[in-house]
mmCIF file of all heavy atoms in Angstrom:
data_model
loop_
_atom_site.group_PDB
_atom_site.id
_atom_site.type_symbol
_atom_site.label_atom_id
_atom_site.label_comp_id
_atom_site.label_asym_id
_atom_site.label_seq_id
_atom_site.Cartn_x
_atom_site.Cartn_y
_atom_site.Cartn_z
ATOM 1 N N GLU N 1214 -60.217 -165.957 183.741
ATOM 2 C CA GLU N 1214 -58.867 -166.574 183.789
ATOM 3 C C GLU N 1214 -57.840 -165.426 183.471
ATOM 4 O O GLU N 1214 -58.002 -164.655 182.515
ATOM 5 C CB GLU N 1214 -58.779 -167.539 182.571
ATOM 6 C CG GLU N 1214 -59.763 -168.697 182.533
ATOM 7 C CD GLU N 1214 -59.586 -169.638 183.700
ATOM 8 O OE1 GLU N 1214 -58.344 -169.677 184.131
ATOM 9 O OE2 GLU N 1214 -60.567 -170.196 184.206
ATOM 10 N N GLN N 1215 -56.827 -165.437 184.410
ATOM 11 C CA GLN N 1215 -55.846 -164.474 184.328
ATOM 12 C C GLN N 1215 -54.533 -165.015 184.520
ATOM 13 O O GLN N 1215 -54.343 -166.122 185.155
ATOM 14 C CB GLN N 1215 -55.989 -163.373 185.414
ATOM 15 C CG GLN N 1215 -57.281 -162.605 185.332
ATOM 16 C CD GLN N 1215 -57.377 -161.532 186.431
ATOM 17 O OE1 GLN N 1215 -56.650 -160.540 186.333
ATOM 18 N NE2 GLN N 1215 -58.227 -161.588 187.406
ATOM 19 N N GLU N 1216 -53.372 -164.474 183.998
ATOM 20 C CA GLU N 1216 -52.074 -164.868 184.152
ATOM 21 C C GLU N 1216 -51.273 -163.666 184.693
ATOM 22 O O GLU N 1216 -51.323 -162.552 184.237
ATOM 23 C CB GLU N 1216 -51.404 -165.431 182.923
ATOM 24 C CG GLU N 1216 -52.020 -166.752 182.481
ATOM 25 C CD GLU N 1216 -51.312 -167.344 181.236
ATOM 26 O OE1 GLU N 1216 -50.558 -166.562 180.589
ATOM 27 O OE2 GLU N 1216 -51.542 -168.490 180.924
ATOM 28 N N VAL N 1217 -50.277 -164.065 185.655
ATOM 29 C CA VAL N 1217 -49.394 -163.086 186.119
ATOM 30 C C VAL N 1217 -47.968 -163.538 185.874
ATOM 31 O O VAL N 1217 -47.634 -164.674 186.356
ATOM 32 C CB VAL N 1217 -49.480 -162.666 187.534
ATOM 33 C CG1 VAL N 1217 -48.451 -161.712 188.054
ATOM 34 C CG2 VAL N 1217 -50.903 -162.179 187.864
ATOM 35 N N ALA N 1218 -47.132 -162.863 185.071
ATOM 36 C CA ALA N 1218 -45.855 -163.504 184.584
ATOM 37 C C ALA N 1218 -44.771 -162.655 185.327
ATOM 38 O O ALA N 1218 -44.925 -161.394 185.481
ATOM 39 C CB ALA N 1218 -45.704 -163.405 183.111
ATOM 40 N N ALA N 1219 -43.588 -163.343 185.634
ATOM 41 C CA ALA N 1219 -42.477 -162.642 186.348
ATOM 42 C C ALA N 1219 -41.828 -161.826 185.145
ATOM 43 O O ALA N 1219 -41.796 -162.143 184.009
ATOM 44 C CB ALA N 1219 -41.566 -163.712 186.885
ATOM 45 N N ASP N 1220 -41.256 -160.724 185.639
ATOM 46 C CA ASP N 1220 -40.419 -159.881 184.741
ATOM 47 C C ASP N 1220 -39.194 -160.566 184.309
ATOM 48 O O ASP N 1220 -38.346 -161.032 185.096
ATOM 49 C CB ASP N 1220 -40.264 -158.537 185.365
ATOM 50 C CG ASP N 1220 -39.691 -157.450 184.478
ATOM 51 O OD1 ASP N 1220 -39.297 -157.749 183.354
ATOM 52 O OD2 ASP N 1220 -39.601 -156.319 184.934
ATOM 53 N N GLU N 1221 -38.955 -160.570 183.024
ATOM 54 C CA GLU N 1221 -37.817 -161.308 182.434
ATOM 55 C C GLU N 1221 -36.750 -160.309 182.005
ATOM 56 O O GLU N 1221 -35.660 -160.739 181.611
ATOM 57 C CB GLU N 1221 -38.221 -162.122 181.180
ATOM 58 C CG GLU N 1221 -39.225 -163.152 181.498
ATOM 59 C CD GLU N 1221 -39.533 -163.987 180.273
ATOM 60 O OE1 GLU N 1221 -38.969 -163.759 179.304
ATOM 61 O OE2 GLU N 1221 -40.487 -164.838 180.412
ATOM 62 N N ARG N 1222 -36.953 -159.084 182.027
ATOM 63 C CA ARG N 1222 -36.090 -158.042 181.569
ATOM 64 C C ARG N 1222 -34.680 -158.083 182.117
ATOM 65 O O ARG N 1222 -33.679 -157.929 181.512
ATOM 66 C CB ARG N 1222 -36.560 -156.739 181.604
ATOM 67 C CG ARG N 1222 -37.798 -156.397 180.677
ATOM 68 C CD ARG N 1222 -38.442 -155.119 180.867
ATOM 69 N NE ARG N 1222 -39.078 -155.043 182.189
ATOM 70 C CZ ARG N 1222 -39.725 -154.007 182.659
ATOM 71 N NH1 ARG N 1222 -39.841 -152.912 181.894
ATOM 72 N NH2 ARG N 1222 -40.197 -153.967 183.867
ATOM 73 N N ALA N 1223 -34.639 -158.345 183.462
ATOM 74 C CA ALA N 1223 -33.359 -158.309 184.154
ATOM 75 C C ALA N 1223 -32.325 -159.483 183.742
ATOM 76 O O ALA N 1223 -31.309 -159.282 183.499
ATOM 77 C CB ALA N 1223 -33.505 -158.460 185.704
ATOM 78 N N LEU N 1224 -33.052 -160.658 183.518
ATOM 79 C CA LEU N 1224 -32.230 -161.778 182.978
ATOM 80 C C LEU N 1224 -31.771 -161.611 181.569
ATOM 81 O O LEU N 1224 -30.580 -161.946 181.270
ATOM 82 C CB LEU N 1224 -33.031 -163.154 183.198
ATOM 83 C CG LEU N 1224 -32.881 -163.763 184.455
ATOM 84 C CD1 LEU N 1224 -33.533 -165.078 184.532
ATOM 85 C CD2 LEU N 1224 -31.569 -163.936 185.023
ATOM 86 N N ALA N 1225 -32.530 -160.987 180.756
ATOM 87 C CA ALA N 1225 -32.211 -160.713 179.442
ATOM 88 C C ALA N 1225 -31.063 -159.691 179.395
ATOM 89 O O ALA N 1225 -30.125 -159.846 178.546
ATOM 90 C CB ALA N 1225 -33.410 -160.132 178.636
ATOM 91 N N ALA N 1226 -31.013 -158.843 180.280
ATOM 92 C CA ALA N 1226 -29.919 -157.832 180.334
ATOM 93 C C ALA N 1226 -28.562 -158.607 180.772
ATOM 94 O O ALA N 1226 -27.530 -158.285 180.355
ATOM 95 C CB ALA N 1226 -30.239 -156.728 181.257
ATOM 96 N N ILE N 1227 -28.748 -159.510 181.744
ATOM 97 C CA ILE N 1227 -27.512 -160.227 182.151
ATOM 98 C C ILE N 1227 -26.777 -160.870 180.972
ATOM 99 O O ILE N 1227 -25.601 -160.799 180.865
ATOM 100 C CB ILE N 1227 -27.920 -161.238 183.284
ATOM 101 C CG1 ILE N 1227 -28.429 -160.545 184.592
ATOM 102 C CG2 ILE N 1227 -26.711 -162.185 183.611
ATOM 103 C CD1 ILE N 1227 -29.073 -161.557 185.504
ATOM 104 N N THR N 1228 -27.579 -161.632 180.139
ATOM 105 C CA THR N 1228 -26.919 -162.263 179.126
ATOM 106 C C THR N 1228 -26.577 -161.482 177.935
ATOM 107 O O THR N 1228 -25.467 -161.663 177.306
ATOM 108 C CB THR N 1228 -27.779 -163.447 178.680
ATOM 109 O OG1 THR N 1228 -29.139 -162.921 178.312
ATOM 110 C CG2 THR N 1228 -27.891 -164.450 179.787
ATOM 111 N N SER N 1229 -27.310 -160.409 177.727
ATOM 112 C CA SER N 1229 -27.154 -159.598 176.491
ATOM 113 C C SER N 1229 -25.799 -158.718 176.727
ATOM 114 O O SER N 1229 -25.175 -158.419 175.700
ATOM 115 C CB SER N 1229 -28.231 -158.708 176.162
ATOM 116 O OG SER N 1229 -28.471 -157.781 177.145
ATOM 117 N N GLU N 1230 -25.360 -158.481 177.874
ATOM 118 C CA GLU N 1230 -24.259 -157.699 178.135
ATOM 119 C C GLU N 1230 -22.965 -158.445 178.229
ATOM 120 O O GLU N 1230 -21.964 -157.914 178.282
ATOM 121 C CB GLU N 1230 -24.403 -156.829 179.407
ATOM 122 C CG GLU N 1230 -25.544 -155.804 179.304
ATOM 123 C CD GLU N 1230 -25.877 -155.218 180.689
ATOM 124 O OE1 GLU N 1230 -25.248 -155.577 181.680
ATOM 125 O OE2 GLU N 1230 -26.780 -154.355 180.685
ATOM 126 N N ALA N 1231 -23.156 -159.797 178.248
ATOM 127 C CA ALA N 1231 -21.948 -160.728 178.342
ATOM 128 C C ALA N 1231 -21.111 -160.666 177.102
ATOM 129 O O ALA N 1231 -21.591 -160.808 175.973
ATOM 130 C CB ALA N 1231 -22.339 -162.077 178.681
ATOM 131 N N ALA N 1232 -19.787 -160.477 177.192
ATOM 132 C CA ALA N 1232 -18.870 -160.587 176.058
ATOM 133 C C ALA N 1232 -18.628 -161.997 175.508
ATOM 134 O O ALA N 1232 -18.458 -162.167 174.344
ATOM 135 C CB ALA N 1232 -17.572 -159.915 176.396
ATOM 136 N N ASP N 1233 -18.662 -162.974 176.365
ATOM 137 C CA ASP N 1233 -18.441 -164.346 176.022
ATOM 138 C C ASP N 1233 -19.722 -165.095 176.194
ATOM 139 O O ASP N 1233 -20.633 -164.755 176.897
ATOM 140 C CB ASP N 1233 -17.273 -164.941 176.852
ATOM 141 C CG ASP N 1233 -16.051 -164.199 176.667
ATOM 142 O OD1 ASP N 1233 -15.580 -164.188 175.440
ATOM 143 O OD2 ASP N 1233 -15.356 -163.805 177.610
ATOM 144 N N PRO N 1234 -19.860 -166.390 175.593
ATOM 145 C CA PRO N 1234 -20.975 -167.118 175.663
ATOM 146 C C PRO N 1234 -21.455 -167.382 177.165
ATOM 147 O O PRO N 1234 -20.664 -167.816 178.003
ATOM 148 C CB PRO N 1234 -20.678 -168.421 174.939
ATOM 149 C CG PRO N 1234 -19.599 -168.111 174.041
ATOM 150 C CD PRO N 1234 -18.729 -166.990 174.753
ATOM 151 N N THR N 1235 -22.774 -167.025 177.324
ATOM 152 C CA THR N 1235 -23.242 -166.982 178.838
ATOM 153 C C THR N 1235 -24.753 -167.413 178.623
ATOM 154 O O THR N 1235 -25.433 -166.797 177.697
ATOM 155 C CB THR N 1235 -23.127 -165.707 179.414
ATOM 156 O OG1 THR N 1235 -21.700 -165.257 179.508
ATOM 157 C CG2 THR N 1235 -23.659 -165.712 180.827
ATOM 158 N N ALA N 1236 -25.157 -168.179 179.548
ATOM 159 C CA ALA N 1236 -26.621 -168.517 179.571
ATOM 160 C C ALA N 1236 -27.062 -168.712 181.136
ATOM 161 O O ALA N 1236 -26.199 -169.058 181.861
ATOM 162 C CB ALA N 1236 -27.002 -169.788 178.786
ATOM 163 N N VAL N 1237 -28.288 -168.465 181.276
ATOM 164 C CA VAL N 1237 -28.782 -168.697 182.712
ATOM 165 C C VAL N 1237 -30.195 -169.176 182.714
ATOM 166 O O VAL N 1237 -31.024 -168.675 181.777
ATOM 167 C CB VAL N 1237 -28.633 -167.391 183.523
ATOM 168 C CG1 VAL N 1237 -29.414 -166.253 182.972
ATOM 169 C CG2 VAL N 1237 -28.928 -167.644 184.901
ATOM 170 N N GLY N 1238 -30.627 -169.861 183.687
ATOM 171 C CA GLY N 1238 -31.976 -170.327 183.856
ATOM 172 C C GLY N 1238 -32.104 -170.743 185.302
ATOM 173 O O GLY N 1238 -31.313 -170.584 186.087
ATOM 174 N N PHE N 1239 -33.298 -171.550 185.479
ATOM 175 C CA PHE N 1239 -33.566 -171.898 186.924
ATOM 176 C C PHE N 1239 -33.938 -173.520 186.785
ATOM 177 O O PHE N 1239 -34.470 -174.004 185.813
ATOM 178 C CB PHE N 1239 -34.773 -171.175 187.405
ATOM 179 C CG PHE N 1239 -34.382 -169.838 187.705
ATOM 180 C CD1 PHE N 1239 -34.687 -168.790 186.704
ATOM 181 C CD2 PHE N 1239 -33.944 -169.359 188.864
ATOM 182 C CE1 PHE N 1239 -34.392 -167.425 186.954
ATOM 183 C CE2 PHE N 1239 -33.596 -168.087 189.092
ATOM 184 C CZ PHE N 1239 -33.829 -167.010 188.144
ATOM 185 N N LEU N 1240 -33.636 -174.141 187.813
ATOM 186 C CA LEU N 1240 -33.762 -175.583 188.022
ATOM 187 C C LEU N 1240 -35.423 -175.805 187.880
ATOM 188 O O LEU N 1240 -36.151 -175.081 188.439
ATOM 189 C CB LEU N 1240 -33.416 -176.068 189.323
ATOM 190 C CG LEU N 1240 -33.555 -177.540 189.672
ATOM 191 C CD1 LEU N 1240 -32.725 -178.411 188.576
ATOM 192 C CD2 LEU N 1240 -33.152 -177.904 191.089
ATOM 193 N N HIS N 1241 -35.688 -176.778 187.031
ATOM 194 C CA HIS N 1241 -37.070 -177.115 186.699
ATOM 195 C C HIS N 1241 -37.827 -176.078 185.863
ATOM 196 O O HIS N 1241 -38.994 -176.260 185.467
ATOM 197 C CB HIS N 1241 -37.948 -177.365 187.920
ATOM 198 C CG HIS N 1241 -37.383 -178.347 188.951
ATOM 199 N ND1 HIS N 1241 -36.947 -179.519 188.670
ATOM 200 C CD2 HIS N 1241 -37.089 -178.139 190.315
ATOM 201 C CE1 HIS N 1241 -36.443 -180.175 189.758
ATOM 202 N NE2 HIS N 1241 -36.492 -179.328 190.749
ATOM 203 N N GLY N 1242 -37.080 -175.034 185.475
ATOM 204 C CA GLY N 1242 -37.670 -174.009 184.545
ATOM 205 C C GLY N 1242 -37.555 -174.364 183.125
ATOM 206 O O GLY N 1242 -36.794 -175.100 182.757
ATOM 207 N N GLU N 1243 -38.465 -173.802 182.266
ATOM 208 C CA GLU N 1243 -38.508 -174.067 180.843
ATOM 209 C C GLU N 1243 -37.704 -172.917 180.135
ATOM 210 O O GLU N 1243 -37.386 -173.223 178.993
ATOM 211 C CB GLU N 1243 -39.903 -174.195 180.366
ATOM 212 C CG GLU N 1243 -40.637 -175.443 180.905
ATOM 213 C CD GLU N 1243 -42.014 -175.485 180.413
ATOM 214 O OE1 GLU N 1243 -42.405 -174.641 179.570
ATOM 215 O OE2 GLU N 1243 -42.768 -176.474 180.787
#
Side-chain angles (χ1 to χ4, degrees):
E1214 301 294 330
Q1215 297 184 69
E1216 290 186 345
V1217 179
D1220 191 347
E1221 301 181 5
R1222 290 173 295 181
L1224 276 187
I1227 293 171
T1228 54
S1229 65
E1230 295 171 1
D1233 296 307
T1235 303
V1237 65
F1239 293 91
L1240 183 62
H1241 309 305
E1243 296 182 359

